[in-house]
Amino acid sequence: MANSMARSFLQVAATEEVASPLRVVQIEGLVILKIIKHCKEFSPALVTGQLLGLDVGSVLEVTNCFPFPTREEDEEIEADGANYQLEMMRCLREVNVDNNTVGWYQSTFLGSYQTVELIETFMNYQENIRRCVCIIYDPSRSNQGVLALKALKLSDSFMELYRTNSFTGEKLREKNLSWVDIFEEIPIKVSNSALISAFMTELESDSPVTQCDYDRLQLSTNPFMERNVEFLIECMDDLSVEQQKFQFYYRSLTRQQAQQQSWLQKRRAENMTRKAAGEEPLPEEDPTNPIFKPLPEPSRLDSYLITNQIANYCNQINGVAGQSFNRLHLMKALHDN
Amino acid sequence: MATTETTVLQFSHSSNTLSAKVHPLVIFNICDCYVRRPDQADRVIGTLLGSVLPDGTVDIRNSYAVPHNEFSDQVALDIDYHHNMLSSHQKVNPKEVIVGWYSTGTGVTGGSALIHEFYSREVANPIHLTVDTGFKNGEGTIKAYISVNLSLGDRQLAAQFQEIPLDLRMVEAERLGFDILKTTSIDKLPNDLEGMEASMERLLALIDDIYKYVDNVVEGHVEADNTIGRFLADTVASLPKLSPAAFDKLMNDNVQDHLLLLYLSSITRTQLSLAEKLNTAAQIL
C-alpha cells in the first residue's frame, strides 16, 4: 500500500514536471493599489517593483508586491539595491507574506514598453523562475478612466530564438514567428479577501457619480492623441532606418552573389583549359577568397519591436478615437435636448 | 515663585492636527496583514507612513505591519524590524515619514498607551488608527485618535486618547472602480468601451432622474426645493451657449479629425502587415 502510494506520488511529481501553460494571472486588489500608488507618485519617471505570490497550476497568484527604489547608474547603488531586495523579502516573510518572486511590475508611458531592456529583464527572471510575469501599468491612460493594467510574458518560441540569438529571416520563417508573437498577454483576474470586500462595501460612497465617470466623460483627449501620434511618427522614422539597414544588406548580398558567379565562371573556364591540357582541375570553392565570406544578416529583433510599438499606438489611437466619437455624439444629443 | 507652588493640572495640547486622511491602500494593507497574522495573535499593529500637509492635516498614505507580542500588561514590539522596514521604505520614497501607528480592533486598550509612547519618541504627535476588522458593531469602524498628555506640573500622569475626524480618500478607489475592489473575485478587467458604456448609462439614469423630479415639481406632486432648483439652473447654465451652426461645425471638425486619425492608424496597420509578409516571405538566393 505504502509502496503504491509512494509510486503514485512519484508519478504525480513526474506529471507535474510538464508545466501546464500559464492561463490566468490572479491579482489581489491590494497589489493593484500598491502598483498604482507607486507608479503614480513617480510619474512621469518610470519605476519598477517586485511581485510576490504563488504559482498554482495554470494560475499565477500575485498576493503582494514591493517597489524598487529609483535606479541610478552606479555600481555601489546597484549592490545596495540587491541588499534592499533581500532585506525587504526577509521583512515581508516575517509578517507571513508569500515571499516567492513571481515577476515584476513597471510603469510605462503611453504603452511604449516594448524594448530590448524588457526582454533582457525577462530572460534574467526566466533563468531563476520558471514562470514569471510582467505587469505593466500606464498612469497616463488611467487618467482617462481606464484601468490600464496588462500582464505580459514572452512566448516560448520567441525565448528559444532569443537564447540562440538568431533573428534571421530564415529562422523566423522556420518558426513562423511574427511580431505579434513576441509578447503574450495573459488575462488578469482580480481577487480580494472577504474582509476587504466587506470593508469596501461598507465604505462605498452613496454618490451616484464616481471619479471614474468624470474621467471617462472628459471631452479633451487632444493632448493624449497628439502625443500618441508624435510617438507613432518617431517609431515610423526608426522603422525606416531599420528598413534601410535591410536594403543595404540585400544590396551588398546581391553584389556579393554576382561576384561569386563571375568568379565561378572564370574558375570553370580555367578548369576546362586545364582539363584540355590534362591537368588536375582546381576546386570550385575557395574559402580564403573574401567574396565567399558570408555577410552577417542584421537582426530583425529591433524592427519587430518597433512594429509592435507602432501596432500598439495604432490600437490606442483607435480606442481613444472610438471613445471620442461616443462622447461627441453624447454631447450632441445633450445639446439638442 | 507662584507657578511652582500652585500645581496645575494641564493638558499639554500642542498639536494643531485637525484631521487625518487615509488612502484606501492603507486599509487594504491592514486587512491583508490581519488575514495573515500569526496563529495566536488576536490583533496586528503596524506603522503608518505619510506626511503632514501644510494645513495640518495628516495624510496617511502607506503602512507596514510590525510583529509584536502582547502579554497581560506588557507589549514587546520588534523594534529592529520596525527600523529596517522604515529605512527600506524611505529608500523608495523619502518623502513618506512616520505619522503614527495602527492597530486592529475597536477602541483603545491598555497596551495601546505603551505603544503610543514608543511612537511618540519616533515622531511628535503620532496618530493612532484603529480598524475594526472583527466587525464588532456590525460595521467596519475606522477611527483615528491622537493622544493628549495629562500632566501635573512636570510629571506625566496619563495619556488621553482623543478622537479626531478622519477623511477616507476614496478617489483612487473610485478611479479603479468599486466593482473590482468590492467583489472577492472578478474574472475580467473591464476594457475602455465597456467602462464608457457603464458611465454613459449612469449619466442617462441621472438625467432621467432629474427629468422625473422636474416633472413632478411642475405637476405639483413634490414640493419645489429652491436649492435644487438653483443647482439645476446653474448646471444648465454651465453649458456653453453656442448657436446650432457653430456647434455643428465644432462637432463636425472634431469628428473629422478623429476620422482622419483612425484612417491613418488603420493604413499604418495595413502597411505593417504587408511589410511583415514581404520581409519574411522573400526568399533570398
Side-chain angles (χ1 to χ4, degrees), chain B residues 177-198:
Chain B
F178 271 103
D179 303 336
I180 290 177
L181 300 177
K182 225 165 59 182
T183 43
T184 43
S185 144
I186 195 160
D187 284 349
K188 196 174 148 284
L189 293 180
N191 65 17
D192 345 359
L193 282 180
E194 281 163 9
M196 196 72 195
E197 199 184 327

Side-chain angles (χ1 to χ4, degrees), chain A residues 47-306:
Chain A
V47 289
T48 56
Q50 188 113 299
L51 297 175
L52 304 172
L54 293 171
D55 180 0
V56 189
S58 60
V59 182
L60 194 71
E61 284 179 20
V62 183
T63 53
N64 213 320
C65 67
F66 63 86
F68 287 149
T70 33
R71 219 170 277 168
E72 273 154 78
E73 303 295 321
D74 201 331
E75 267 178 42
E76 211 173 297
I77 291 169
E78 211 153 273
D80 211 36
N83 279 339
Y84 163 81
Q85 207 170 322
L86 288 175
E87 185 70 33
M88 202 70 170
M89 299 266 277
R90 199 180 58 78
C91 283
L92 286 173
R93 188 174 52 214
E94 254 177 72
V95 286
N96 300 329
V97 170
D98 301 321
N99 76 327
N100 187 17
T101 310
V102 291
W104 83 103
Y105 68 83
Q106 68 174 73
S107 58
T108 177
F109 187 63
L110 289 178
S112 51
Y113 54 84
Q114 291 104 333
T115 53
V116 183
E117 286 84 45
L118 181 75
I119 291 174
E120 270 167 12
T121 328
F122 239 115
M123 297 312 282
N124 275 339
Y125 269 88
Q126 203 80 38
E127 268 173 30
N128 302 316
I129 321 155
R130 203 172 37 159
R131 253 186 283 189
C132 79
V133 77
C134 172
I135 290 188
I136 299 213
Y137 175 72
D138 191 341
S140 58
R141 276 188 68 209
S142 283
N143 287 338
Q144 304 199 314
V146 190
L147 180 60
L149 213 57
K150 252 186 216 166
L152 292 178
K153 77 188 255 303
L154 292 179
S155 69
D156 295 338
S157 49
F158 175 79
M159 274 193 283
E160 211 173 291
L161 276 182
Y162 192 84
R163 270 197 207 103
T164 50
N165 201 12
S166 49
F167 286 101
T168 57
E170 201 181 330
K171 276 271 165 41
L172 290 174
R173 256 197 313 281
E174 233 170 66
K175 291 270 174 201
N176 206 4
L177 186 95
S178 73
W179 52 271
V180 199
D181 307 322
I182 295 183
F183 295 102
E184 271 174 37
E185 204 181 323
I186 306 160
I188 294 179
K189 245 172 107 170
V190 183
S191 75
N192 288 303
S193 68
L195 186 61
I196 286 169
S197 157
F199 261 103
M200 285 329 273
T201 317
E202 181 85 29
L203 296 174
E204 185 178 8
S205 57
D206 300 322
S207 134
V209 223
T210 59
Q211 185 63 40
C212 197
D213 295 330
Y214 287 129
D215 290 343
R216 276 185 200 139
L217 296 174
Q218 185 73 252
L219 263 177
S220 78
T221 47
N222 284 355
F224 182 75
M225 277 298 223
E226 248 167 54
R227 257 177 309 173
N228 242 325
V229 177
E230 221 169 84
F231 281 167
L232 182 62
I233 293 171
E234 262 171 44
C235 271
M236 280 307 196
D237 284 345
D238 289 347
L239 192 64
S240 71
V241 171
E242 287 293 317
Q243 298 282 37
Q244 270 164 16
K245 263 191 222 163
F246 277 104
Q247 273 167 14
F248 180 74
Y249 165 72
Y250 285 136
R251 255 207 310 276
S252 36
L253 197 67
T254 37
R255 202 183 308 136
Q256 193 191 35
Q257 274 164 355
Q259 278 174 346
Q260 282 173 4
Q261 281 303 320
S262 65
W263 184 84
L264 212 60
Q265 266 166 14
K266 223 162 79 193
R267 179 52 64 88
R268 277 196 188 130
E270 207 179 321
N271 275 347
M272 290 284 263
T273 50
R274 283 176 87 106
K275 219 178 191 172
E279 283 175 56
E280 275 287 293
L282 287 169
E284 285 197 353
E285 260 175 27
D286 186 5
T288 52
N289 198 321
I291 60 170
F292 280 108
K293 215 171 91 191
L295 285 173
E297 188 178 336
S299 164
R300 293 187 189 246
L301 183 61
D302 284 336
S303 67
Y304 264 33
L305 288 176
I306 295 169

Side-chain angles (χ1 to χ4, degrees), chain B residues 15 66 108 122 171 175 177 203 212 237 240 254 266 271 279 285:
Chain B
S15 80
V66 179
V108 182
E122 302 269 321
V171 177
R175 279 226 157 93
L203 183 66
K212 251 182 239 157
N254 238 321
S266 350
Q271 191 79 16
N279 266 340
L285 250 178

